[in-house]
Amino acid sequence: MTARAARAGEDADDLDVEEALALVKDAHDRTAGDHAPGGHGQGAGTSGGSAHRDATEWTEARAVAERAPRLGGGRSTGYLTPVAVPLGSALGLTLAAPLLALTDLPSFDTSAMDGWAVSGPGPWDVREKGVLAGHSAHAPLTDGEAVRIATGARIPPDTTAVLRSEHGRTDDKGRLFATAETRAPHTVSHGQDIRPRGQECRSGDQLLPVGTLVTPPVLGMAAAAGYDTLTVVPRPRAAVFVLGDELLGEGLPHDGLIRDALGPLLPPWLRALGAEIVDVRRVGDQKDALLKALTSCDADVVVTTGGTAAGPVDHVHPTLRRLGAELLVDGVAVRPGHPMLLARIKEGRYLVGLPGNPLAAVSGLVTLAEPLLRTLAARPAPEGYTLPLRDAVQGHPYDTRLVPVALRGDRALPLLYNGPAMLRGVAAADALAVVPPGGAKPGQDAELLDLPWASGGIGVCFT
């Protein structure tokens, strides 16, 4: 991966033509006295002018998306109605009820080691039949008696301790002697290598609180505590509508047609954000096509691609007006992706309108879709962090920029090919750097947004 060579004062050679023109126009507007703080760029292919002044600031847009389900979804918590699911279906979901111990753990005194259960001081006479895990209780030991025992086996009554296999030996008469160098011959400590009943928890103890992400260890804990099902917040149901008559589903671009990059990209990315994909479809540029698709879909979140500007075939805004939807975010002061939008179609149902350019759509995913889905699924917010940038990054005069970076030790390496229509940079990236208006210098700390596959964790599921 190649570092960007941009330096302070250089031309914006890391931007595509659309972005470079936007920088020139914005700089001209500011010189002319237009100091508007931002705008949504809803005009077809435009970025400045009066429309830009109405854009939502980037951090505020993310906050609006995060709190939207709590303010208008009919639930003060914002998350979906909890359900009970089998343990095998709970991975990656969030606990909606505390995990309480249904039994003592362990539920009986058990051996912590392979060895002998012994009673009293040694040497000991060894019983012929040993004690194995999974078997019922054995007869009590008498003073001076021992019995072979396996790890996890139930301790016989009146056992003093467990003598580890490597700490004992038997003679030719079958008598057991302690040989541990740290102890006097023939002695053991009371309770040695015994896991007493209730050592980890007692019945009724809270093991994990509401809001815990169900990870593999959580599943193991729940199983050990006696659970067959868990009460969790379900995955939000998401649909993807890819808009545009110019898109090809296979083969090489030709005759003005281009390959659909977002159809393959969006479903697995949304799954990684915790969504269940219930519908993926192509929607043509006919006036009523999107309206018909939306009215026939009952997903919690519909994600559309393209059509968010004001061109002759951009039908997202008119369709939302016909549905009586509430626009929560209508343009964001971020590059790429400023024409993105978020709307509440009706109570409990949302539409995230992504721009049609691929990297601009990725910007919309991290800005609007991720916080919205996170609230609906009651998933914990990722911990924010910063790293210094290895190279300078060209900034927009007054909009935030999201730039693909590769993480190299304690530095973030800005990547080339980061224009709105490009995926080459983000395909090689570990994160997106949040670059403030005006840009960033080499060594300057930048907020980073991990990409799901780079940060790992239980949320990554591409199947």
Side-chain angles (χ1 to χ4, degrees):
M1 287 175 266
T2 306
R4 296 210 350 234
R7 295 186 296 274
E10 282 190 338
D11 291 338
D13 57 356
D14 59 307
L15 305 177
D16 74 353
V17 174
E18 176 186 342
E19 288 289 274
L21 290 175
L23 289 174
V24 172
K25 186 178 191 309
D26 290 333
H28 178 270
D29 288 345
R30 294 184 68 180
T31 303
D34 181 3
H35 299 289
H40 58 60
Q42 288 298 318
T46 64
S47 302
S50 60
H52 192 88
R53 288 192 289 269
D54 298 328
T56 303
E57 191 269 332
W58 181 76
T59 55
E60 175 59 17
R62 297 193 84 209
V64 170
E66 182 176 5
R67 63 177 179 256
R70 292 193 289 269
L71 298 179
R75 309 178 188 90
S76 60
T77 61
Y79 57 72
L80 301 175
T81 302
V83 294
V85 301
L87 291 187
S89 301
L91 186 65
L93 303 181
T94 302
L95 291 181
L99 191 71
L100 306 179
L102 303 180
T103 182
D104 296 342
L105 288 181
S107 54
F108 46 79
D109 294 347
T110 63
S111 176
M113 292 287 173
D114 292 334
W116 296 269
V118 301
S119 181
W124 302 271
D125 293 321
V126 181
R127 283 184 188 172
E128 183 175 338
K129 186 176 181 181
V131 179
L132 299 177
H135 289 250
S136 59
H138 285 249
L141 293 177
T142 59
D143 211 30
E145 190 177 25
V147 63
R148 262 289 184 183
I149 193 166
T151 301
R154 189 169 188 163
I155 294 293
D158 299 329
T159 295
T160 301
V162 170
L163 181 66
R164 301 185 186 191
S165 295
E166 62 268 28
H167 292 169
R169 64 175 178 82
T170 55
D171 61 16
D172 54 4
K173 296 180 180 179
R175 303 196 75 200
L176 173 65
F177 295 83
T179 59
E181 296 180 359
T182 56
R183 299 184 180 85
H186 317 320
T187 63
V188 292
S189 301
H190 189 83
Q192 171 185 317
D193 288 325
I194 293 176
R195 292 188 62 211
R197 176 174 181 164
Q199 181 185 52
E200 186 169 4
C201 65
R202 290 291 184 181
S203 180
D205 285 352
Q206 178 173 300
L207 305 176
L208 295 169
V210 170
T212 299
L213 186 67
V214 179
T215 62
V218 170
L219 292 177
M221 178 81 259
Y227 284 84
D228 298 316
T229 63
L230 290 175
T231 300
V232 293
V233 179
R235 291 178 176 84
R237 301 169 71 252
V240 176
F241 294 167
V242 180
L243 311 183
D245 290 337
E246 75 281 13
L247 302 175
L248 291 169
E250 60 183 14
L252 294 174
H254 63 87
D255 302 326
L257 303 176
I258 61 173
R259 278 296 297 271
D260 169 27
L262 295 178
L265 180 151
L266 289 175
W269 197 313
L270 292 168
R271 289 189 190 101
L273 296 179
E276 174 190 355
I277 305 303
V278 296
D279 191 7
V280 179
R281 69 174 84 172
R282 295 275 297 278
V283 179
D285 285 330
Q286 296 74 32
K287 180 179 179 181
D288 294 328
L290 179 58
L291 180 66
K292 182 178 179 181
L294 288 173
T295 54
S296 65
C297 177
D298 64 352
D300 302 304
V301 177
V302 175
V303 177
T304 62
T305 68
T308 57
V313 292
D314 291 334
H315 298 307
V316 174
H317 281 88
T319 300
L320 291 174
R321 287 193 292 269
R322 292 171 70 182
L323 289 170
E326 177 187 3
L327 271 174
L328 304 176
V329 174
D330 190 9
V332 178
V334 66
R335 305 300 174 105
H338 54 281
M340 68 181 73
L341 63 85
L342 171 64
R344 182 180 292 113
I345 301 173
K346 62 180 181 180
E347 184 175 304
R349 290 192 61 213
Y350 299 88
L351 182 141
V352 176
L354 303 179
N357 277 327
L359 189 59
V362 167
S363 176
L365 281 175
V366 300
T367 302
L368 299 178
E370 186 276 332
L372 174 69
L373 290 168
R374 174 161 36 86
T375 298
L376 289 171
R379 290 160 65 95
E383 291 288 335
Y385 72 105
T386 64
L387 282 179
L389 295 167
R390 203 195 75 170
D391 304 316
V393 178
Q394 175 72 51
H396 189 275
Y398 44 72
D399 286 357
T400 298
R401 284 196 68 208
L402 300 181
V403 177
V405 296
L407 305 185
R408 296 292 180 264
D410 60 351
R411 291 288 189 272
L413 174 65
L415 300 174
L416 292 169
Y417 308 107
N418 52 37
M422 300 179 182
L423 286 175
R424 187 171 172 182
V426 74
D430 301 305
L432 297 177
V434 181
V435 178
K441 299 177 181 179
Q444 181 174 328
D445 280 347
E447 178 186 356
L448 297 182
L449 305 174
D450 281 332
L451 301 177
W453 51 92
S455 60
I458 200 60
V460 179
C461 176
F462 297 108
T463 58

